[in-house]
Amino acid sequence: MKRGLKIGLVAAGSLVAFVAVVVCLALWLVFTPARLTGIVNKAADKYLDCEMSVGEIDLTVFSTFPNVSLQLSDVVLVNPVDSIASDTVAEIRHCQATLDVKALLNEQTVMLRSLQLNGGWANLYTTAEGTANYMIFPTDTTVVEELPDTTTFVIPDIDIKEIDVRDMRVDYYDAMAGQKAVIEGLSMHVNGSLLGEQLQAAMKASLRNISVTLEGDDAMSASMERVKLDMKGSMKNCDAKADVNLSVGLIDANMADMVAHVEQIEWTLRGRGQDGKWNAATELTTQPIAASMGGDSPMSAALPRVQFKADALWDGNDIQVAPSLVAPDLTVALGNEQMLDKADIQLRATLLTDTLLSRVELAQGLLALNEHEINLKGGVEMPDTSTIKGNVSFATNRCDITRLLALVPPSYRHLLEGIDIRGHAVLKGTGYASLTGDELKIGDVDATLAVHGIDLLYNDSIALQTPRTNINMVYNGKRDHVSGRLSSDALHVEMEGLADAQLRDVEGTFTMKQAMRMVDGYIDAKATLSMAELSAAMDTLGLYTQEATMDITLDADKNSQMHFDAALRLDTLNAAMGSLLAASTRNLSVEAHAAYDETGDNILSQWDPKLAVDVVAGDVASPMLTVPVAIPHIQFDYADGRFTINDSRILLGNSDFGLRGDVHSIDSFINKTGLLRADLDFWSDFTDVTQIMDLVSGLGTSETPEEEAEENTAAAAESSATAEDEPFMVPMGVDVRLNTDIRTVNVNGFKFDDIGGHVTVKDGVLVLEEMGFTSDAARMQLTAMYKSPRKKHLFVGFDFHLLDIEIDELIRMVPDVDSIIPMLSAFDGEAEFHLAGETYLKSNYDLKLSTLRAAAAIEGKDLVVMDNETFSQISKYLMFEKGTRNVVDSISVELTVFKDEVDLYPFLVSMDDYQAVIGGRHNINENLDFNYHISLTSPLRLGLDIGGTLDDMRFKLVGCKYAQMYNPEKQNAVQARTLLLKKIISDSLKDNVKPQEKR
Amino acid sequence: MHKIHEMKMKDILRNAACAVFALAVLVGCIPDPVLEPDFSVDDIYGKWCSGTVYYRYDYGYQGVTWDTADDMSEYDGQLFTWEIVGYDMTHIHIMEMGASVPKTYVIDELTPSVLRYHDAYGKSYLFYKVGY
């Protein structure tokens, strides 16, 4: 080293040392603690409106060079306020402020480089009147005229190297607001600078404990421990970044009967801005959280961990936020009921909005509870300040229904009682709504529920299975229109022991117009249901149909009167009742309409139903039916209390017939104010009565075991030794008229043609009225009556006319005639036969003989007397000549039956030259004994009594009993009266004959 | 011989017939007298019983009959009209279908309590009045 340089350096060092010594001496002499105290007190007087005392004041130069540091100890601020016990506002044990000497010397500005507060406390208090003890800064009361600020605002440079606060305590109490807060162990370290357009700042803060208490109606208290906050940020030009970390060791909060406890919270925020684009990411993680709420419905929740994350991006116009929440093992209890048990909650969303928040779009959202997820999309926009529009679409994942229902809280499980369901379901839909002012408008809503592999069992009795079924509901808000659709590959419904139904390819639709008007009682709804196949069984009933379609319309008018329309169409219908009955149809159509009026007296008048049914190609089969039954066509309808068969065609074995007409007064019948009336036409090309009688014989006599037991009990009670059958009981309360038109009837091999007449059933009386018909043997008319006033008291009456009948055919057709008029079989030829009778019957149809009444009249001409043994006997006794022409010119026979007596009124027989009068009685008993008399009146008079029985006839010549019977001039009064009675009988019978076209 | 016998027989019969005819003509020319009965027809009104058989004769020549052996009651009784001329009584049973069944009897005794009659075949009936 050069010597000159050495000397220079020593000289300079000495100069510096000298200057330093001089400065130190100056500071020691000039800035003594006493002098500094005075300076500070003066400053305090100027800037503080309270008393301040400082323990010690020291000035440090060298340790903070080139800055100077002012250190104060035991700084106490005193501001006495009435009603506040303590007048000390704050006490700081050590305070150090470091100033920039260069700025102080060169620019005469006080630039604070650092501020340290170490130890101390503050007692901030506001009285109930609103006086605060911390209002220690004087208020400038001078009035300054405000002049327009024409200067350019320039943010001064700020460069704070350090603000350091350590171990501070703050007590705050606002008696007016009832608020109290205590902060303990507050430490904070802040530094930052704003130099031109460059900003940087950092803060670290921590506190040991903070507690906040609110008094009054909304009393609450909260405390946090071990709070740490670390923030730093910087900005240069348009680039900026910020990082925030917050951790809280323990949080306890109480509000009313709510308690919350969080073990640990960690929160971070990272923000970056570059080239006008900003993004931020935040994450909040909590350790175990427990919360509870008392009251009438105590609730508690606990979860071990919550993680919340959110990413945000702002490009100057649009903001995108993507929050996510994961909360595993969430347990929620309501009272003693566990609502959720370790459920996993997830929320994810991607939200787009703009700076003004005029719209929020949910680009993607997920809400998950355990494995059950709902994916959401939608948005909310505010086109103006009074309108909010929103739309949402949602779709669940494929949910296991069993596991989903397991989430139903126990208190709601009763709603699912008895339900055991397995399967999966997917629900998805869209919706739109707007709110303008207070007016909420629901736009279009579309929801679809798709279920797969459903196996439902309800109450162990009703089961439903479907491999795949979709249910769709759509609401059109603009048209206020609801529509729905149901489609199912297959449905199987089973009601244990009762019914079983299987449906294939089921399609259904549903529409409802002006759905929101339903609250006003307005309904306009339609529904359709179709299926490719339906197979059903109920008890012994079975049903199978193809291509079934049902349309239903329901509407209510302004008066809230409900109208109901339904139409059912089937392509094929097969029905069976066990092995007893089977029925099928190729085509079935049913249309129904009803209008509901609650003021109606009965269900018919309340609903006023209208019905139209059309059956094509029906078939009926039964083991009880020994012949096939076919219904080629039947069409009937019901309206306004009138049931009308418009057309029908029925094939029963050999028979075919149709039915047409009305059944009316149904309302009166139901109200029990009148008879059910019917007027029906029955027509047939061919009716085989014999076959039908064989068919229906015995029907209705079978009894169930219960009925049989009941009948046996009743029979025992009656101590009746006679076993009686169930007779046919004519319905009461009905008035049915059947107008018959039958072309040909077969009865026991006899053919009758052109049968016309009426069958009426009126209030327990069955009448065959003026049934006219013709056969090869005769023209006939029949009127018959059957009444059943009591089971054991039945009435049958008839009025039967055979016109132009061959006598042998008559006997063949009515064999009983031969036993009533034994001699009739002796004649051959054409006659007229009139027969009327009545009797009461027992329940087994046995005659009550005491009630038997009958009358008959037979008229014939040119009858041939058969040449048989009886005739030979009679000829012998009456000494007929051989070769006598056995042709009877005419006979007119009248006979009556009264109880067991058959009285044959004397009748005249003219044969060749012979005339005879025959009369007598025979009895309806075991022997059929009789007592007849024949009076030969020409050519000679001779009487013959024929008595005994058919097997043992006795002949006896006697006097001529009826010699003058047919001689008006000579007949006696008895004979005249007898003939009168004959006329009465004959006329009373013939009076009932109605004109009938002769064949 | 046989033919002669036959002719004689025919003659006898013819003569006998002529005699019977002449007698009958004579008898027939005599009108039958209506005998005045020795009973009061008014006694017929009321309810008569014979065993289980009942007849009720009403004013207006109406009546009903029933037999309790056949589970019949007065309410179920069957209608008839009746007429008494001299000793002759006629019942005309009116069937519901309209036809008539006449029955004629000869009254043997009619008192306020007893009614006895018979028909042309010798069948007798005895009734006791049991009410009105």
Side-chain angles (χ1 to χ4, degrees):
Chain A
M1 183 180 291
K2 297 288 181 67
R3 186 177 178 184
L5 182 59
K6 263 185 193 174
I7 293 170
L9 291 175
V10 170
S14 299
L15 181 61
V16 171
F18 174 75
V19 170
V21 169
V22 170
V23 170
C24 289
L25 287 173
L27 290 173
W28 184 70
L29 293 173
V30 176
F31 296 105
T32 63
R35 290 178 184 274
L36 288 172
T37 302
I39 294 170
V40 169
N41 284 336
K42 275 188 177 179
D45 290 341
K46 183 177 181 180
Y47 295 107
L48 294 176
D49 193 12
C50 67
E51 295 179 17
M52 184 185 80
S53 66
V54 180
E56 289 183 2
I57 301 176
D58 195 9
L59 188 66
T60 301
V61 176
F62 298 105
S63 62
T64 59
F65 186 82
N67 301 318
V68 294
S69 175
L70 186 65
Q71 299 184 49
L72 297 86
S73 61
D74 299 328
V75 178
V76 177
L77 300 176
V78 177
N79 185 21
V81 174
D82 292 343
S83 75
I84 300 177
S86 174
D87 57 0
T88 302
V89 177
E91 180 180 341
I92 300 170
R93 288 196 299 274
H94 179 79
C95 174
Q96 177 178 320
T98 303
L99 303 176
D100 187 337
V101 174
K102 285 194 330 185
L104 183 66
L105 296 176
N106 297 335
E107 304 168 12
Q108 288 79 43
T109 58
V110 178
M111 184 170 287
L112 189 64
R113 287 298 184 190
S114 69
L115 176 65
Q116 293 179 349
L117 303 174
N118 190 357
W121 53 272
N123 181 26
L124 311 178
Y125 198 100
T126 302
T127 67
E129 294 75 26
T131 305
N133 70 342
Y134 49 85
M135 299 301 288
I136 57 176
F137 300 101
T139 304
D140 188 359
T141 57
T142 58
V143 177
V144 178
E145 183 181 357
E146 288 191 8
L147 297 174
D149 187 359
T150 56
T151 59
T152 303
F153 176 74
V154 177
I155 300 174
D157 288 347
I158 299 172
D159 186 8
I160 300 174
K161 297 299 184 184
E162 181 184 47
I163 295 176
D164 191 53
V165 178
R166 294 182 185 176
D167 196 20
M168 293 291 291
R169 173 189 171 97
V170 178
D171 288 88
Y172 172 80
Y173 183 67
D174 185 341
M176 188 168 69
Q179 298 171 346
K180 183 179 180 181
V182 177
I183 300 173
E184 295 178 296
L186 173 64
S187 298
M188 183 168 59
H189 185 88
V190 179
N191 63 64
S193 64
L194 175 60
L195 303 174
E197 294 183 349
Q198 185 172 347
L199 170 69
Q200 70 85 24
M203 182 182 81
K204 287 187 178 179
S206 66
L207 55 86
R208 192 166 56 247
N209 182 40
I210 178 172
S211 63
V212 178
T213 304
L214 296 179
E215 299 170 346
D217 295 338
D218 300 324
M220 65 157 287
S221 65
S223 67
M224 290 187 287
E225 296 180 4
R226 302 189 302 278
V227 180
K228 291 182 180 177
L229 176 64
D230 186 356
M231 297 193 301
K232 60 183 178 181
S234 65
M235 186 173 73
K236 184 177 182 181
N237 298 324
C238 292
D239 296 340
K241 65 177 182 179
D243 295 306
V244 179
N245 292 305
L246 172 68
S247 71
V248 181
L250 183 66
I251 298 176
D252 281 302
N254 292 276
M255 191 171 94
D257 50 8
M258 288 192 297
V259 176
H261 176 84
V262 184
E263 292 282 343
Q264 178 75 36
I265 291 178
E266 298 286 344
W267 177 60
T268 62
L269 173 65
R270 303 282 182 267
R272 299 291 184 270
Q274 189 172 19
D275 299 329
K277 293 183 178 178
W278 298 81
N279 65 71
T282 184
E283 179 174 351
L284 175 69
T285 304
T286 71
Q287 295 305 315
I289 299 175
S292 65
M293 185 172 70
D296 296 335
S297 302
M299 188 185 78
S300 64
L303 68 169
R305 183 169 60 90
V306 173
Q307 184 181 46
F308 174 77
K309 289 182 180 179
D311 293 321
L313 177 65
W314 180 46
D315 62 2
N317 295 314
D318 294 329
I319 300 172
Q320 176 177 309
V321 181
S324 69
L325 172 72
V326 176
D329 295 338
L330 171 63
T331 298
V332 177
L334 189 63
N336 296 325
E337 182 182 338
Q338 189 153 309
M339 310 293 281
L340 289 176
D341 183 19
K342 294 185 177 179
D344 295 336
I345 306 290
Q346 278 192 64
L347 294 172
R348 283 204 304 268
T350 300
L351 297 167
L352 299 174
T353 184
D354 54 20
T355 311
L356 301 175
L357 297 178
S358 63
R359 63 177 179 85
V360 177
E361 180 183 348
L362 176 63
Q364 184 181 8
L366 172 72
L367 174 63
L369 175 62
N370 292 342
E371 74 272 28
H372 311 295
E373 296 180 354
I374 301 176
N375 290 283
L376 297 162
K377 284 185 179 180
V380 177
E381 61 177 326
M382 295 179 63
D384 54 62
T385 55
S386 62
T387 302
I388 300 175
K389 296 180 178 179
N391 68 84
V392 65
S393 65
F394 61 91
T396 70
N397 64 341
R398 194 167 185 266
C399 291
D400 185 318
I401 296 175
T402 306
R403 293 180 61 82
L404 184 64
L405 293 180
L407 296 174
V408 173
S411 60
Y412 294 93
R413 294 268 170 85
H414 68 277
L415 299 174
L416 303 172
E417 191 173 357
I419 297 177
D420 182 9
I421 185 170
R422 294 177 179 80
H424 294 84
V426 175
L427 177 67
K428 58 183 178 182
T430 60
Y432 168 80
S434 66
L435 179 65
T436 304
D438 295 331
E439 184 182 3
L440 176 65
K441 287 184 177 177
I442 297 176
D444 297 342
V445 178
D446 188 334
T448 300
L449 174 66
V451 294
H452 305 268
I454 292 296
D455 188 351
L456 168 68
L457 180 62
Y458 178 68
N459 276 349
D460 294 329
S461 58
I462 301 175
L464 182 147
Q465 289 110 26
T466 177
R468 187 169 62 185
T469 295
N470 289 345
I471 301 171
N472 171 252
M473 294 292 289
V474 175
Y475 174 70
N476 185 316
K478 189 174 182 180
R479 296 164 55 196
D480 192 15
H481 186 172
V482 175
S483 62
R485 179 175 292 277
L486 165 74
S487 65
S488 176
D489 291 351
L491 282 171
H492 180 203
V493 182
E494 181 180 3
M495 301 172 73
E496 187 182 18
L498 185 63
D500 189 311
Q502 297 195 52
L503 298 82
R504 187 174 64 79
D505 292 340
V506 180
E507 293 287 339
T509 63
F510 167 78
T511 60
M512 178 184 286
K513 295 178 181 175
Q514 303 188 60
M516 292 299 177
R517 290 183 60 191
M518 273 190 70
V519 293
D520 301 324
Y522 180 91
I523 299 174
D524 186 351
K526 292 182 180 177
T528 66
L529 182 66
S530 66
M531 61 199 75
E533 277 187 338
L534 166 64
S535 175
M538 190 172 82
D539 196 13
T540 59
L541 299 176
L543 180 74
Y544 173 80
T545 183
Q546 288 182 325
E547 303 301 333
T549 303
M550 178 182 285
D551 298 322
I552 299 173
T553 301
L554 184 65
D555 64 82
D557 60 16
K558 293 177 183 176
N559 301 320
S560 296
Q561 189 176 25
M562 192 176 294
H563 298 269
F564 174 85
D565 287 287
L568 172 66
R569 291 177 295 279
L570 306 174
D571 269 5
T572 298
L573 173 66
N574 295 328
M577 191 169 70
S579 59
L580 294 177
L581 183 67
S584 65
T585 177
R586 195 182 65 206
N587 190 282
L588 170 65
S589 170
V590 179
E591 292 185 10
H593 170 84
Y596 182 72
D597 179 4
E598 62 183 4
T599 62
D601 297 332
N602 55 58
I603 190 168
L604 280 182
S605 58
Q606 283 177 341
W607 283 96
D608 187 22
K610 294 179 173 56
L611 186 71
V613 178
D614 197 343
V615 178
V616 175
D619 287 295
V620 179
S622 168
M624 295 184 297
L625 298 172
T626 55
V627 297
V629 179
I631 305 172
H633 184 219
I634 183 169
Q635 198 272 321
F636 58 89
D637 56 47
Y638 173 85
D640 302 325
R642 180 177 291 268
F643 178 83
T644 303
I645 301 174
N646 298 305
D647 190 20
S648 66
R649 194 70 182 158
I650 298 168
L651 306 177
L652 177 62
N654 299 329
S655 306
D656 69 279
F657 51 86
L659 208 58
R660 181 188 295 141
D662 293 335
V663 178
H664 52 95
S665 303
I666 297 174
D667 275 359
S668 303
F669 177 69
I670 291 177
N671 290 333
K672 298 181 179 176
T673 58
L675 301 179
L676 176 71
R677 302 183 187 280
D679 192 353
L680 301 166
D681 294 334
F682 176 92
W683 73 96
S684 170
D685 286 336
F686 182 82
T687 299
D688 189 339
V689 172
T690 305
Q691 190 180 55
I692 293 175
M693 294 295 286
D694 289 343
L695 201 62
V696 301
S697 176
L699 286 181
T701 58
S702 61
E703 294 175 323
T704 64
E706 293 78 9
E707 289 170 336
E708 194 172 9
E710 190 177 331
E711 188 73 17
N712 291 338
T713 305
E718 291 176 2
S719 301
S720 172
T722 306
E724 295 182 332
D725 296 329
E726 289 292 338
F728 172 68
M729 302 297 287
V730 184
M732 301 292 290
V734 299
D735 181 2
V736 177
R737 180 182 174 90
L738 202 65
N739 308 306
T740 59
D741 180 8
I742 305 172
R743 185 165 298 171
T744 302
V745 161
N746 172 51
V747 180
N748 290 327
F750 296 98
K751 298 289 194 307
F752 304 100
D753 298 325
D754 302 326
I755 299 154
H758 311 291
V759 178
T760 61
V761 177
K762 185 174 182 180
D763 209 17
V765 180
L766 169 66
V767 178
L768 303 179
E769 189 177 353
E770 300 169 10
M771 301 288 288
F773 43 91
T774 61
S775 74
D776 292 339
R779 292 181 293 123
M780 300 172 228
Q781 287 183 8
L782 172 67
T783 299
M785 178 188 293
Y786 177 83
K787 297 190 290 186
S788 52
R790 301 194 300 274
K791 178 182 171 184
K792 297 180 178 179
H793 193 57
L794 313 170
F795 173 86
V796 62
F798 57 90
D799 181 55
F800 183 54
H801 306 275
L802 291 169
L803 308 176
D804 310 324
I805 186 165
E806 297 292 337
I807 289 178
D808 57 340
E809 288 292 323
L810 168 63
I811 295 172
R812 279 182 57 203
M813 287 173 57
V814 192
D816 290 342
V817 171
D818 191 35
S819 57
I820 295 172
I821 317 168
M823 71 290 295
L824 197 62
S825 59
F827 297 103
D828 185 22
E830 202 170 69
E832 279 190 12
F833 177 65
H834 307 274
L835 174 64
E838 69 176 32
T839 184
Y840 282 91
L841 305 171
K842 299 177 182 176
S843 58
N844 60 355
Y845 300 123
D846 280 352
L847 294 181
K848 292 184 176 181
L849 202 57
S850 70
T851 67
L852 178 61
R853 314 278 189 272
I858 303 170
E859 290 183 358
K861 290 180 181 178
D862 301 329
L863 302 178
V864 176
V865 178
M866 305 296 287
D867 191 7
N868 57 21
E869 186 180 351
T870 303
F871 178 72
S872 300
Q873 287 280 343
I874 294 171
S875 299
K876 177 181 170 186
Y877 281 104
L878 296 180
M879 295 174 289
F880 288 174
E881 291 183 356
K882 285 190 175 179
T884 299
R885 183 171 168 267
N886 57 344
V887 174
V888 177
D889 296 336
S890 66
I891 60 169
S892 177
V893 179
E894 285 79 25
L895 63 87
T896 62
V897 179
F898 180 76
K899 300 186 178 178
D900 58 347
E901 302 166 355
V902 180
D903 291 339
L904 177 66
Y905 279 74
F907 64 96
L908 179 66
V909 177
S910 298
M911 187 175 68
D912 203 0
D913 293 331
Y914 295 87
Q915 280 193 341
V917 179
I918 305 170
R921 165 181 292 180
H922 74 262
N923 298 299
I924 305 173
N925 51 29
E926 290 183 0
N927 300 322
L928 284 177
D929 58 287
F930 52 82
N931 182 5
Y932 285 102
H933 174 82
I934 302 175
S935 290
L936 180 65
T937 59
S938 177
L940 71 165
R941 293 184 177 177
L942 192 61
L944 178 65
D945 281 346
I946 306 173
T949 64
L950 289 174
D951 297 331
D952 181 22
M953 283 195 286
R954 294 186 292 274
F955 298 89
K956 182 181 180 184
L957 283 172
V958 295
C960 195
K961 193 174 177 180
Y962 306 124
Q964 303 299 336
M965 175 70 76
Y966 286 91
N967 186 349
E969 296 176 352
K970 296 180 180 177
Q971 62 189 189
N972 59 27
V974 173
Q975 291 170 336
R977 180 157 185 78
T978 299
L979 291 179
L980 177 63
L981 294 178
K982 277 171 61 78
K983 188 173 187 305
I984 290 173
I985 295 168
S986 178
D987 291 348
S988 68
L989 289 168
K990 292 177 183 176
D991 282 348
N992 293 330
V993 178
K994 302 301 176 187
Q996 187 179 11
E997 195 173 308
K998 192 170 183 178
R999 61 191 169 86
Chain B
M1 185 67 186
H2 178 70
K3 192 173 181 181
I4 294 170
H5 174 75
E6 200 172 72
M7 290 183 63
K8 282 183 179 177
M9 189 63 190
K10 280 186 179 179
D11 291 340
I12 293 169
L13 286 175
R14 188 178 296 119
N15 294 334
C18 289
V20 170
F21 178 78
L23 182 62
V25 168
L26 288 175
V27 172
C29 291
I30 302 170
D32 292 333
V34 177
L35 301 177
E36 283 297 321
D38 57 356
F39 54 80
S40 171
V41 174
D42 290 343
D43 289 337
I44 197 74
Y45 299 116
K47 195 184 300 181
W48 299 86
C49 171
S50 175
T52 59
V53 179
Y54 288 81
Y55 278 80
R56 194 189 73 214
Y57 296 86
D58 300 331
Y59 292 98
Y61 306 104
Q62 305 288 318
V64 291
T65 178
W66 66 95
D67 187 343
T68 57
D70 273 334
D71 193 28
M72 297 283 285
S73 67
E74 186 172 358
Y75 175 78
D76 303 316
Q78 293 169 285
L79 296 175
F80 65 92
T81 63
W82 58 269
E83 182 184 23
I84 296 174
V85 178
Y87 286 91
D88 296 332
M89 178 170 67
T90 304
H91 293 166
I92 298 180
H93 298 273
I94 311 298
M95 287 187 279
E96 291 196 28
M97 306 300 292
S100 302
V101 175
K103 297 294 285 185
T104 57
Y105 308 100
V106 176
I107 296 175
D108 299 315
E109 180 182 3
L110 174 58
T111 69
S113 59
V114 176
L115 171 63
R116 187 162 52 83
Y117 54 82
H118 67 274
D119 63 15
Y121 298 94
K123 194 170 181 179
S124 297
Y125 305 89
L126 176 61
F127 288 87
Y128 297 97
K129 185 171 280 185
V130 293
Y132 291 93

